[in-house]
Amino acid sequence: MHKTSIMLRRLLVNVTPFWVHQRGLRTRDMTPGLLVSHWQKVFQDHQIPDAQDSSEILVSHALGAKTFRLIPPALSQRPVSDHQLQRIERMGQQRLQRVPVQYIIEEWDFLDMTLLMRPPVFIPRPETEELVGLVLADGHNLLSSWEPRILEVGCGSGAVSLALLQRLPQRSAPRGTLRVCHLSLRVSSRIENFLNCGFNCSSDIYQVFLFCLFNPSHPPDPPERLRPFGLIDTIVSNPPYIFTSDMSQLDPEIYRYEDHTALDGGPDGMDVIKGILRLAPRLLKQDGDVFLEGDPRHPEMLSQWLTRNPSVQLRLISTVRDFCKKQRFVHLRRS
Amino acid sequence: MVRTPGPCRPPPPMTAPSIFCLVKGRLPWKAWIPGRREMKFLYPWTSVILSQAAEKKNDSFDLEELQETDLEEQFVRGHGPGGQATNKTSNCVVLKHIPSGIVVKCHQTRSLEINRKKARDILQEKIDVFYKGQNSDILKQREELERKKQEKRKKARENLERKKLLKEKQLSEEGN
Ligand SMILES: C[S@@+](CC[C@H](N)C(=O)[O-])C[C@H]1O[C@@H](n2cnc3c(N)ncnc32)[C@H](O)[C@@H]1O
């Protein structure tokens, strides 16, 4: 045997390919339902989390459906093609390496949008869907503004901005343009998502400039550089907020495959949050809002930090729980 | 970094990891809002998006509003730290209406928030049927739809039959 193939065998989780199990069976007999049970069992045997869900999503994806129930009846009764079978096999092997399902199928849903998910773009979490709802429910300034200006810090896949853009009141249309500023490290995946949602990249979005904000080794760029855009109604951010000491406890799906700059918020998880808080009063309109997602410990810490830093002219309006009843969001306002 | 097409200024050199790209969008509204969607808020922290279809469907009826306090909601995703520290794909929602004991489960979509909304829609319909029985508008509509479907099927069958007859007639004429 070739040396490389021996090495490969050592590296790969030792799972006999599906077709070996099925040698007795003809691939003609493999319906989507059977494949789902097969992979579910394989995943369970290898302690892969979300075994059933993973299996259903991968099989459905190979058949062009978003969920197992959405596979058209005509396809679900019929055996899959050889090509589909091999594709499922490849995807299943990736899952066995703990690759997140969203990266394997390269897409995921955020509210009613389907977004492109190529590593290392951060995979949006369901809590952040609620952040969008909170901005729209409590961002009175934004909703009453004729020319709403939003600044999203760290937009990742663009999920939050895209969802907000689709839902802001239409009456700002006659006034021409809507300005959206993003502060983010990653550009490529986001631009593709804008395209998928029907934006025209070349005319609608353009890069203006790059600048440093919270880099300890460089003096921060003056926020005045954002001034040409005018004062902002709302700053929204789901910044990296995991405490550095908690990073090593993350599931392999996250720790090994997602970008740590999107996750690691420093010793107290507040590095970027504090950066945003310092910057916000200078960028926001009077009574402009800040909406942040954070760790359940953060609302309390943030409130204390504001007391210790009275020069930061922000007041805490509310802290809001997520669907698991965990303190997750804060709403601040420029005072 | 992938440069995007379009009128870009040459970006200054990157000094990862703290370089930030400011992207400005000039987005005329009309071009990109195909069928705008409305928001409805059940409660500040359960803000849920109403899809247009769901809204239309329920607008035509006098369905009773669900009270969030009457609901018990469970998530199949299990107990983790949540937020950025959790990445699960199971977005199944189990919703119970405490007064009637009706339970619905929804994992129709890959979005938890949309599933929560859909679960409420389904529950609302079930409750309507539960309390109003035969008088439920939903039931009536469903029966009406079923009747129309049957009719359509019947018509299609008749059409097919007619065409077949016509063809046979033509064939037999050609044969002559
Ligand atoms: C948790 S992700 C959120 C992405 C997206 N908003 C979402 O909710 O799916 C955090 C994002 O912030 C970016 N980021 C990290 N450090 C940053 C910083 N110092 N300034 C601006 N953005 C930063 C990361 O690259 C990442 O895209």
Side-chain angles (χ1 to χ4, degrees):
Chain A
M1 198 183 274
H2 289 297
K3 210 170 167 190
T4 44
S5 81
I6 293 169
M7 271 173 55
L8 254 177
R9 277 181 163 231
R10 283 209 196 110
L11 280 174
L12 287 173
V13 178
N14 189 17
V15 179
T16 327
F18 185 45
W19 51 78
V20 176
H21 285 295
Q22 300 301 329
R23 197 166 278 155
L25 278 174
R26 290 155 303 180
T27 47
R28 279 202 261 133
D29 299 325
M30 300 322 300
T31 59
L34 279 175
L35 277 164
V36 168
S37 334
H38 166 78
W39 279 105
Q40 183 181 341
K41 174 132 197 330
V42 174
F43 292 152
Q44 272 160 355
D45 291 348
H46 290 83
Q47 272 112 48
I48 303 295
D50 286 343
Q52 180 183 352
D53 224 65
S54 299
S55 171
E56 285 188 2
I57 293 165
L58 298 184
V59 172
S60 315
H61 185 71
L63 290 157
K66 282 192 186 180
T67 66
F68 189 64
R69 285 186 37 186
L70 291 178
I71 299 178
L75 289 181
S76 65
Q77 302 307 321
R78 233 187 302 157
V80 303
S81 72
D82 283 352
H83 175 75
Q84 285 163 339
L85 193 70
Q86 278 160 27
R87 178 137 186 240
I88 294 164
E89 170 72 33
R90 271 199 308 275
M91 294 193 291
Q93 292 294 343
Q94 275 182 286
R95 188 69 194 104
L96 287 170
Q97 307 294 317
R98 304 292 294 258
V99 180
V101 169
Q102 298 97 328
Y103 283 160
I104 300 175
I105 66 169
E106 295 199 336
E107 62 174 51
W108 201 244
D109 288 359
F110 185 82
L111 295 173
D112 50 0
M113 305 180 294
T114 301
L115 301 174
L116 199 77
M117 288 301 139
R118 293 220 180 104
V121 78
F122 177 81
I123 299 164
R125 310 293 201 256
E127 285 83 352
T128 310
E129 295 180 320
E130 292 187 292
L131 177 66
V132 173
L134 179 67
V135 173
L136 291 169
D138 289 358
H140 305 296
N141 285 312
L142 189 66
L143 301 180
S144 60
S145 169
W146 279 97
E147 215 186 9
R149 288 194 188 89
I150 306 168
L151 176 74
E152 185 188 0
V153 180
C155 48
S157 61
V160 174
S161 287
L162 287 170
L164 285 173
L165 278 171
Q166 288 189 338
R167 288 172 178 82
L168 283 173
Q170 228 163 358
R171 64 152 183 272
S172 30
R175 298 290 294 266
T177 55
L178 174 97
R179 283 167 224 270
V180 189
C181 312
H182 299 285
L183 292 173
S184 174
L185 290 167
R186 316 236 159 245
V187 187
S188 52
S189 262
R190 190 186 60 248
I191 295 294
E192 285 180 68
N193 277 332
F194 271 104
L195 288 173
N196 282 347
C197 289
F199 299 92
N200 179 337
C201 183
S202 54
S203 65
D204 289 343
I205 300 163
Y206 53 92
Q207 246 167 279
V208 182
F209 54 82
L210 293 158
F211 68 109
C212 301
L213 263 183
F214 314 121
N215 188 341
S217 57
H218 292 73
D221 273 21
E224 278 66 40
R225 289 182 66 178
L226 270 170
R227 278 295 168 82
F229 301 98
L231 288 176
I232 286 160
D233 294 283
T234 296
I235 295 177
V236 56
S237 183
N238 172 21
Y241 59 68
I242 297 178
F243 293 46
T244 304
S245 53
D246 292 343
M247 286 294 291
S248 58
Q249 276 138 55
L250 294 173
D251 285 340
E253 279 81 0
I254 305 174
Y255 193 78
R256 282 198 229 148
Y257 295 97
E258 284 192 290
D259 186 358
H260 287 196
T261 38
L263 300 162
D264 190 345
D268 60 356
M270 299 233 308
D271 278 3
V272 180
I273 293 177
K274 285 184 269 192
I276 295 170
L277 296 182
R278 288 216 177 81
L279 185 77
R282 286 180 285 171
L283 294 175
L284 283 174
K285 287 180 185 165
Q286 185 63 43
D287 286 333
D289 293 306
V290 182
F291 293 97
L292 299 174
E293 185 181 320
D295 182 277
R297 287 163 282 184
H298 281 151
E300 182 57 37
M301 290 165 64
L302 200 144
S303 154
Q304 286 170 9
W305 187 87
L306 283 176
T307 321
R308 282 199 308 274
N309 294 273
S311 59
V312 174
Q313 309 242 301
L314 291 173
R315 70 203 138 93
L316 191 62
I317 303 288
S318 60
T319 69
V320 178
R321 291 170 193 271
D322 64 17
F323 60 86
C324 291
K325 310 270 193 310
K326 291 201 164 109
Q327 291 285 3
R328 183 67 67 192
F329 313 103
V330 289
H331 176 191
L332 304 131
R333 189 166 282 162
R334 193 188 139 186
S335 46
Chain B
M1 184 180 135
V2 178
R3 283 255 231 106
T4 55
C8 297
R9 276 191 213 173
M14 279 205 109
T15 57
S18 359
I19 292 200
F20 309 94
C21 176
L22 182 70
V23 175
K24 192 177 83 164
R26 282 177 172 275
L27 307 159
W29 282 105
K30 277 181 197 126
W32 50 270
I33 306 187
R36 220 168 68 77
R37 279 148 201 273
E38 297 289 331
M39 293 284 301
K40 188 186 175 187
F41 300 100
L42 297 168
Y43 199 68
W45 45 267
T46 53
S47 54
V48 174
I49 314 294
L50 261 185
S51 81
Q52 237 176 9
E55 199 173 67
K56 224 183 267 156
K57 200 167 67 197
N58 287 352
D59 267 1
S60 50
F61 303 128
D62 241 355
L63 291 192
E64 222 154 296
E65 279 281 321
L66 286 181
Q67 298 297 317
E68 281 296 315
T69 45
D70 284 346
L71 302 179
E72 206 177 86
E73 202 175 23
Q74 273 175 11
F75 303 95
V76 181
R77 36 186 24 240
H79 307 280
Q84 289 169 8
T86 301
N87 180 12
K88 295 260 176 220
T89 41
S90 46
N91 282 333
C92 184
V93 175
V94 182
L95 194 64
K96 179 175 176 183
H97 184 244
I98 303 164
S100 66
I102 297 177
V103 179
V104 301
K105 210 166 141 181
C106 179
H107 48 129
Q108 288 180 19
T109 79
R110 298 187 298 203
S111 152
L112 186 76
E113 200 67 1
I114 302 282
N115 286 348
R116 294 176 79 188
K117 173 62 200 144
K118 289 203 179 206
R120 281 165 176 76
D121 287 347
I122 301 165
L123 191 63
Q124 206 175 18
E125 291 192 11
K126 289 224 160 141
I127 288 167
D128 195 65
V129 175
F130 180 81
Y131 285 119
K132 295 193 195 151
Q134 289 303 313
N135 294 327
S136 155
D137 287 334
I138 297 273
L139 213 64
K140 283 185 195 156
Q141 192 207 32
R142 218 176 277 156
E143 280 162 7
E144 179 71 17
L145 274 176
E146 191 50 36
R147 206 176 49 75
K148 278 192 183 147
K149 229 196 242 160
Q150 297 277 6
E151 228 164 70
K152 226 172 158 179
R153 242 180 257 150
K154 206 173 131 202
K155 270 210 184 113
R157 247 200 326 267
E158 283 171 2
N159 260 338
L160 210 77
E161 205 62 26
R162 240 201 329 271
K163 274 188 195 146
K164 222 167 104 187
L165 278 177
L166 205 74
K167 211 168 185 180
E168 274 168 20
K169 209 171 138 209
Q170 275 172 349
L171 279 177
S172 70
E173 273 166 11
E174 275 165 22
N176 283 342

